[in-house]
Amino acid sequence: MRDYVIMTDSSCDLPWNLAKALDIEVLPLVVSMGRREYRDELEKRESVMKAFYADLRAGNRAFTSAVSQYDFRMAMERHMLEGRDVLMICFDSVLSGTYLNARIIASTLEAKYPERRIFCVDSRSASLGQGLLVYLAANARNAGGTLEEVRTLVEKSIPKVCHWFTVGNLSYLKHGGRLQATAAPAGKILHMMPVLHVDDEGRLASVGRARGRQAAMNVLLEKARTTSTNIEEQTVFISHGDCLDDALELRKCVMAHLHPREVVVGDVGPVIGAHSGPDTLAMFFLGDKR
């Protein structure tokens, strides 16, 4: 079997220890806030996340940049030279230019190294929705799947990755242009909490409201119950924007009521968090459709 590597970018929000255990190469996006700029490297997140969300709560704005073409070239060409092919699973192309940059460099390198193959996949997913696809790909590869087989698995899984989430305040999504200003009223009105998901095209869509945080969590749980397929055989992912207690409570409810094989909890990293804001709480799992 031809040797290949699975790559992704830091928007996948996989916990670093899991990404390392799965042997995934993760390329960092860039986050800037005021005069500070840093590469979103998974292994360094523990030291920056609290300060990052504290800055957001203080009213500071964060801005993000896609993985650069230079970084893609350095990472991909190294594997070409060492005789490996590449499967790159990218952040949603609707939300970032990362996929476009990956495709540009992949085309250049494919011409330079015609004996090698680079497959770039637009996940149409974000945070641990993207992470779930990477997780499935890594497990399939580690079970002996070929590059083509794993690529096909990922592409077939994309329309089935369900993203359901609530946020503390819609203003971050609106200010960042990730959600239309008319899509839903501000979350603080009458303590109504927005409930959103990612649609088939990778766009954010507001689908309802719940009265209070607990009610919003109950909606996420109900969506998992009614839209998942064989959830007892799945690994469910939960991500949170500096609201670990809520994430652990949601995990407890998921385990008690849905009985999945496993629940993985991780941070909403600074790339996604810059647009979703503090107190984001999200669930990711597989269903018949999104």
Side-chain angles (χ1 to χ4, degrees):
M1 184 175 70
R2 290 168 64 110
D3 191 17
Y4 66 98
V5 62
I6 296 176
M7 299 172 63
T8 190
D9 57 74
S10 61
S11 298
C12 72
D13 284 347
L14 284 169
W16 167 240
N17 60 343
L18 180 57
K20 186 176 180 181
L22 292 173
D23 192 23
I24 301 298
E25 183 169 346
V26 184
L27 303 183
L29 279 79
V30 175
V31 181
S32 59
M33 184 178 285
R35 296 182 179 180
R36 288 182 295 155
E37 180 177 284
Y38 59 93
R39 292 162 63 85
D40 178 29
E41 298 172 325
L42 295 189
E43 63 268 35
K44 296 180 180 179
R45 278 194 178 175
E46 188 174 350
S47 63
V48 303
M49 293 310 301
K50 279 291 183 183
F52 171 79
Y53 278 109
D55 282 344
L56 285 185
R57 293 182 196 277
N60 296 314
R61 294 284 304 278
F63 301 90
T64 60
S65 301
V67 178
S68 69
Q69 292 183 25
Y70 174 84
D71 283 349
F72 274 124
R73 177 183 288 277
M74 291 298 100
M76 289 178 172
E77 189 162 25
R78 172 168 53 84
H79 292 296
M80 302 290 98
L81 291 170
E82 294 174 356
R84 286 187 291 274
D85 297 327
V86 173
L87 174 60
M88 176 68 202
I89 303 172
C90 297
F91 184 22
D92 183 0
S93 65
V94 172
L95 303 177
S96 170
T98 293
Y99 173 70
L100 177 60
N101 285 347
R103 280 299 311 138
I104 290 171
I105 295 304
S107 296
T108 300
L109 293 177
E110 285 168 341
K112 185 175 181 180
Y113 302 96
E115 73 283 6
R116 301 258 61 89
R117 288 171 294 182
I118 306 175
F119 294 150
C120 297
V121 178
D122 177 3
S123 72
R124 300 200 299 276
S125 301
S127 190
L128 281 172
Q130 177 184 344
L132 175 54
L133 289 168
V134 175
Y135 174 83
L136 295 173
N139 284 333
R141 177 199 59 189
N142 296 343
T146 65
L147 174 63
E148 292 80 3
E149 289 169 343
V150 175
R151 176 199 188 186
T152 298
L153 170 68
V154 171
E155 291 177 337
K156 287 184 176 180
S157 298
I158 288 170
K160 301 177 182 180
V161 177
C162 301
H163 304 58
W164 290 96
F165 65 105
T166 185
V167 297
N169 192 319
L170 281 173
S171 63
Y172 294 94
L173 291 172
K174 292 177 180 177
H175 289 159
R178 265 56 181 186
L179 190 71
Q180 292 183 357
T182 58
K188 292 185 177 179
I189 297 176
L190 299 177
H191 305 289
M192 299 302 288
M193 307 300 295
V195 176
L196 308 97
H197 82 131
V198 176
D199 67 17
D200 290 336
E201 284 72 43
R203 294 179 172 84
L204 303 185
S206 178
V207 295
R209 291 173 290 165
R211 192 175 295 278
R213 184 71 161 182
Q214 185 60 54
M217 292 169 63
N218 290 341
V219 172
L220 301 186
L221 186 66
E222 181 65 9
K223 290 296 184 182
R225 187 186 70 79
T226 58
T227 66
S228 63
T229 54
N230 301 319
I231 199 165
E232 68 278 357
E233 300 175 8
Q234 292 193 42
T235 296
V236 174
F237 287 81
I238 295 173
S239 62
H240 69 95
D242 195 35
C243 54
L244 178 59
D245 288 345
D246 286 348
L248 294 178
E249 178 62 24
L250 182 57
R251 179 186 185 277
K252 180 180 176 181
C253 292
V254 169
M255 292 297 292
H257 295 285
L258 304 179
H259 313 292
R261 183 177 58 190
E262 184 182 10
V263 178
V264 174
V265 176
D267 291 311
V268 174
V271 172
I272 306 300
H275 302 291
S276 61
D279 300 318
T280 297
L281 185 63
M283 281 187 65
F284 310 90
F285 51 88
L286 295 176
D288 283 330
K289 59 182 180 179
R290 289 196 166 187

